[in-house]
Amino acid sequence: MVSSLMEIDMQVKQGFKEIISFIHQSLSTELTIETKSNRRDLVSNIDKEVEAMIRAKIKEHYPSHEIIGEETKQTEELQSLEHVWTIDPIDGTTNFLKQIDHFCVLISYYENNVGKLGYIYDVMNDDLYHAMENEGAFLNGVKIISPAPISLEDGLVSCDIGRWHTKSNFAKLVNQCFDIRNFGCGGIDSIHVFHGKFAAFVNSDSGPWDLAAQLIFAKELGLKMSKFDGSPVDYLVGGDYILANAGCYEDIVSIMKGYES
């Protein structure tokens, strides 16, 4: 099994070279931008083209594997759960379009509902994070040390301030944590939890492609990840989730249990 995963891992990393080069080249081109659910929910032609590139590479090597992508959303069409990939081609599209920073590519690979490989590519810093089942999590090939416990009162917590600022849960979180931060990109916020720079990242609205990779990293780094009510996250469904340091997880669950969207 490990050798098989090693082979897949090598192919993904090789594929990233072309994908990241394409994204960098796109920064000097005129982009086509559309809105999805509202004026702040943006998608560009690059999101779609990058997803198509990743899909093509997966299908080239593994034609029978199933793929769920943000721009194609095929969860309900899956024929098998034996081999499933998730793709978020540009996580943090608004940052990509308006900052040219703090965006990433998210990819995960599951076998029979078990997370095997997770990838977060921080494009502008050229940092590749990857996690492999039972092997650990890595930054550019160097193993990441699991963060030390962080209490909520000492920890920085990332959440969607714009969406939450009127909610009572947010007020409680602000009062009990050290302070609030937010990059506007779930993958980048998650990276900060991996390193112990943030105590937690809390997200109320996500698709499978937004959280599937993080589930694998959380397991390998000894972090806690669940829905707001403490129940397990389903990588095929998405929804709300908490990614937290073990030192503050229970406190955050107690705050978020009563969240109303």
Side-chain angles (χ1 to χ4, degrees):
M1 179 60 68
V2 172
S3 61
S4 175
L5 288 181
M6 289 290 188
E7 180 182 352
I8 297 173
D9 177 60
M10 289 177 61
Q11 290 166 345
V12 173
K13 290 173 180 173
Q14 186 64 33
F16 265 126
K17 295 179 181 179
E18 180 181 345
I19 292 160
I20 301 306
S21 176
F22 173 78
I23 294 173
H24 279 292
Q25 291 172 18
S26 76
L27 298 176
S28 60
T29 65
E30 184 175 347
L31 305 180
T32 302
I33 304 170
E34 303 171 8
T35 58
K36 294 193 282 189
S37 62
N38 58 67
R39 72 181 183 89
R40 293 189 175 96
D41 186 10
L42 305 177
V43 61
S44 75
N45 59 301
I46 302 304
D47 294 72
K48 297 176 181 179
E49 289 173 32
V50 169
E51 182 169 321
M53 289 176 66
I54 298 171
R55 280 179 166 273
K57 289 183 177 298
I58 293 171
K59 288 297 186 180
E60 176 186 352
H61 295 286
Y62 308 104
S64 66
H65 287 198
E66 302 281 355
I67 303 171
I68 305 169
E70 179 173 17
E71 307 310 328
T72 47
K73 302 181 178 65
Q74 293 186 345
T75 303
E76 69 283 355
E77 300 174 12
L78 296 179
Q79 301 299 310
S80 168
L81 298 179
E82 186 175 0
H83 302 283
V84 178
W85 296 77
T86 68
I87 305 168
D88 191 341
I90 302 287
D91 181 38
T93 297
T94 297
N95 293 351
F96 169 66
L97 296 173
K98 295 186 176 294
Q99 296 179 338
I100 314 180
D101 201 1
H102 303 138
F103 63 93
C104 61
V105 180
L106 299 176
I107 299 175
S108 75
Y109 169 64
Y110 280 68
E111 291 180 353
N112 297 309
N113 288 329
V114 177
K116 298 294 184 178
L117 295 167
Y119 302 89
I120 301 177
Y121 205 118
D122 179 352
V123 177
M124 299 311 292
N125 286 318
D126 198 27
D127 283 335
L128 174 57
Y129 291 78
H130 86 275
M132 181 180 293
E133 184 191 33
N134 299 326
E135 295 294 325
F138 303 81
L139 167 57
N140 297 327
V142 179
K143 195 164 190 176
I144 302 172
I145 304 301
S146 298
I150 305 171
S151 67
L152 185 57
E153 66 179 1
D154 288 331
L156 300 175
V157 175
S158 175
C159 63
D160 189 340
I161 299 169
R163 184 177 294 177
W164 290 17
H165 69 281
T166 61
K167 298 184 181 296
S168 60
N169 309 79
F170 179 71
K172 292 178 183 177
L173 198 57
V174 169
N175 289 332
Q176 294 187 37
C177 74
F178 188 85
D179 208 348
I180 298 292
R181 296 288 186 271
N182 184 240
F183 279 101
C185 171
I188 300 298
D189 285 303
S190 297
I191 286 168
H192 283 67
V193 181
F194 299 165
H195 289 297
K197 296 178 180 180
F198 288 175
F201 171 53
V202 189
N203 191 331
S204 58
D205 184 20
S206 62
W209 44 85
D210 292 312
L211 55 73
Q214 285 89 323
L215 277 166
I216 302 167
F217 280 93
K219 180 181 177 183
E220 295 303 312
L221 291 171
L223 301 170
K224 300 292 186 180
M225 193 165 172
S226 75
K227 295 182 68 62
F228 286 177
D229 61 8
S231 62
V233 172
D234 185 342
Y235 83 101
L236 291 174
V237 176
D240 59 71
Y241 74 92
I242 298 165
L243 171 66
N245 184 283
C248 65
Y249 168 74
E250 296 295 342
D251 289 334
I252 294 178
V253 169
S254 69
I255 293 170
M256 298 309 301
K257 274 183 180 178
Y259 179 88
E260 295 182 2
S261 59

